[in-house]
Amino acid sequence: GSGSGAIISADGYIVTNQHVVNRADEIAVVLSNAEILTAELVGEDELTDLALLKVEREQLPSLALGDSSKTRVGETAIAIGNPLRYFQQTATGGIISAVERQVTFRDSNYSYTYIQTDAAINAGNSGGPLVNLEGEIIGINSAKIKDVGVEGIGFAIPSNTAKRVVKDLRDYGRVKRPQLGITVRDYALQTRMPSDLGVYVVEVFAGSPAEAGGLKEGDVIVKVEGREVNYSAQLFDSLLNYYPGERIDITVNRGGTPVTVRVELGDTK
């Protein structure tokens, strides 16, 4: 397999997509000067499709992970990578088409928000950086919609998501992902209402942090620590700001009445 990556520190840490290195026996990194280095897999996270690599080299050119929360629709975006394996260090330009776009991938119960761009992203671009005009990485290119008549719909994992995942992979070898112990569904899908009005709690597991904190089936989660939650991806994004053992306030709509409960987050092993 092959793909792209981004050097995020001068001492050789590289971020890429998990699907690029999945089940790899050996990983080689080809630098822009054609030098080939052997890389160690520090850790990988299938749910966010991110992986962290390390090469033993100092003073490498690198780009910092920027603050993706500042990204705005209409900004210029530049995707960098190795499309089709043959066109190394290709840069394609476009704009930010949407932010906080909910994307759920096959065989996953999790959704996260992605940055949508019309900068050309092709096979081989996976894991490469999406860069703004300040030279900051605002996303890690991950996917595109491939269908007849569809053009310019690509997705990048926001850099703020990558920051958390990279930190955990460096520190713990895995993402210390908090969990509530609930099954959820977008309220709009649950009720067939044509708008985003929160996240419907379908099930609360016995003995879970959610049950201990007072969440109930039928609650509609609308805020986490004051941050508005309109759909599932925003809920998972919000939770990724915290660690197991932390206590957070969750505001729900319960039968038309706003109720705030305090939940101690559990750990996803």
Side-chain angles (χ1 to χ4, degrees):
S2 65
S4 304
I7 303 173
I8 58 171
S9 68
D11 59 348
Y13 281 97
I14 299 168
V15 66
T16 186
N17 283 150
Q18 189 273 339
H19 75 258
V20 169
V21 299
N22 187 33
R23 296 195 296 272
D25 295 316
E26 297 180 355
I27 302 172
V29 171
V30 183
L31 302 180
S32 59
N33 63 2
E35 184 179 5
I36 301 176
L37 302 175
T38 298
E40 170 198 356
L41 178 63
V42 177
E44 57 187 324
D45 184 58
E46 186 176 1
L47 293 179
T48 55
D49 192 24
L50 289 169
L52 183 65
L53 312 178
K54 179 71 167 66
V55 295
E56 294 305 318
R57 182 59 60 87
E58 299 293 332
Q59 298 182 332
L60 287 169
S62 61
L63 283 181
L65 290 167
D67 184 356
S68 53
S69 70
K70 296 179 180 178
T71 302
R72 297 292 180 264
V73 173
E75 277 188 46
T76 298
I78 301 168
I80 302 173
N82 306 309
L84 308 182
R85 299 179 61 182
Y86 303 110
F87 303 103
Q88 287 84 2
Q89 290 86 52
T90 292
T92 56
I95 64 167
I96 301 299
S97 305
V99 295
E100 295 196 26
R101 182 73 79 193
Q102 175 164 276
V103 176
T104 303
F105 289 99
R106 186 176 58 187
D107 300 327
S108 174
N109 293 322
Y110 285 79
S111 300
Y112 288 100
T113 62
Y114 281 66
I115 296 170
Q116 183 183 329
T117 180
D118 66 353
I121 295 174
N122 294 287
N125 275 109
S126 292
L130 187 69
V131 181
N132 63 17
L133 291 182
E134 302 298 321
E136 300 170 323
I137 298 174
I138 55 173
I140 301 298
N141 300 319
S142 181
K144 66 176 291 185
I145 293 179
K146 295 188 291 186
D147 204 350
V148 176
V150 176
E151 295 182 7
I153 303 180
F155 299 99
I157 302 159
S159 57
N160 285 359
T161 300
K163 284 179 186 177
R164 165 61 185 269
V165 172
V166 164
K167 179 183 183 302
D168 280 11
L169 293 179
R170 287 184 67 170
D171 293 348
Y172 313 112
R174 69 178 182 93
V175 177
K176 297 188 75 171
R177 183 174 281 104
Q179 59 97 6
L180 293 170
I182 58 177
T183 300
V184 298
R185 195 177 189 207
D186 287 352
Y187 182 81
L189 293 175
Q190 181 72 20
T191 62
R192 301 189 184 278
M193 296 285 287
S195 61
D196 296 322
L197 296 171
V199 178
Y200 188 90
V201 178
V202 178
E203 183 180 7
V204 176
F205 299 126
S208 67
E211 183 185 57
L215 279 175
K216 301 180 182 297
E217 294 177 10
D219 283 347
V220 180
I221 298 172
V222 293
K223 289 182 182 179
V224 172
E225 283 290 311
R227 177 183 175 181
E228 193 172 85
V229 170
N230 292 314
Y231 43 85
S232 300
Q234 289 182 333
L235 172 62
F236 292 123
D237 275 5
S238 295
L239 292 176
L240 204 56
N241 290 318
Y242 305 98
Y243 281 95
E246 290 189 77
R247 294 177 178 270
I248 61 171
D249 288 333
I250 298 177
T251 302
V252 302
N253 184 332
R254 182 175 293 168
T257 301
V259 176
T260 298
V261 299
R262 193 157 181 80
V263 178
E264 181 176 332
L265 296 169
D267 195 356
T268 303
K269 300 295 185 181

